[in-house]
Amino acid sequence: MDNIANVIRERRSVRTFDARPLRTEDVEKLNDYIRKIENPYEIPVEFKLLDAKKDGLSSPVIAGTEQYIGAKVKRMPHAEEAFGYSFEMMVLCAQSLGVGTTWIGGTMDRAAFEHAMALGADEMMPCASPLGYPAEKMSLREAMMRRGVKADTRFPFGELFFSADGTPLTKERAGELAEPLELVRLAPSAVNKQPWRVFADGDAVHFYEKKNKGFDTGATGDLQKVDLGIALCHFALGAREAGLELRFSLDDPRLAAAGDMEYIASWLVTGSAERREAAP
């Protein structure tokens, strides 16, 4: 994908579609892309295109499309984060093709979706998404849902991103990390809770989960860890587009400033175009 920052900024959740089936070329491009998706946890996430009529699928919040995409992952440590990372890669690819999506977890006939995905006892399907071309005007229900979760707003930069000592970051102090972090700030999350908190410590960028009640269930796993996977994805895509070289880490830095938040993962900045130019 080119111009990933623009793709992220332009994307919104779409629940009202114009009833056109996906063009064959868009289906082929999406299918080709999802076969190649990887995540830094190296945990496979399996995607499948679904047909609402054929598979008996329904969602009370979706209108104007019969096409969906599901994904499943084996239950294991970090499965939710891997799922979120990989599923967001698919979402952004769809956006780059002009195909609308929205993450749905609770607002669907979960039993039907899990049956269509042939979900095994050792697997989980945290979310799925409709696929289609956005309608010119969203439905009243969709507009009300967006207002209800303040879908078009995000927390300020300094409420999500911090120095290692807990001091809120400004974009100026963040330097070359400012744009990748801004793309994290714009990431979607379950009911827009934005549960990520990120601490920049030198060349290390540590991601934590600020937990909210009601998002960790047996059927879906911890949906806020899925959200953290999305945040990790946005940072990595934005950083690499900005010329930063990264290494993934699961070594907990045990930052005192993180309090009772749960450590998730880190990106370590190992190089950049600016640093290479400045080297003697």
Side-chain angles (χ1 to χ4, degrees), residues 187-240:
S189 57
V191 296
N192 202 26
K193 287 292 186 180
Q194 305 158 66
W196 44 79
R197 298 295 182 269
V198 183
F199 294 80
D201 184 11
D203 291 332
V205 184
H206 306 297
F207 287 71
Y208 286 79
E209 178 187 1
K210 184 175 175 60
K211 290 182 177 293
N212 294 275
K213 292 181 179 179
F215 290 90
D216 191 354
T217 71
T220 63
D222 184 345
L223 286 177
Q224 293 197 319
K225 282 189 169 62
V226 173
D227 294 339
L228 264 294
I230 300 171
L232 288 163
C233 174
H234 277 215
F235 183 87
L237 292 174
R240 286 167 178 153

Side-chain angles (χ1 to χ4, degrees), residues 3 7 40-41 47 57 59 74 109 112-113 131 167 207 216-217 223 233 240 265 271 278:
N3 300 315
V7 173
Y41 295 93
F47 291 86
L57 308 178
S59 169
K74 295 283 188 183
D109 182 345
F113 274 85
L131 296 173
T167 305
F207 287 71
D216 191 354
T217 71
L223 286 177
C233 174
R240 286 167 178 153

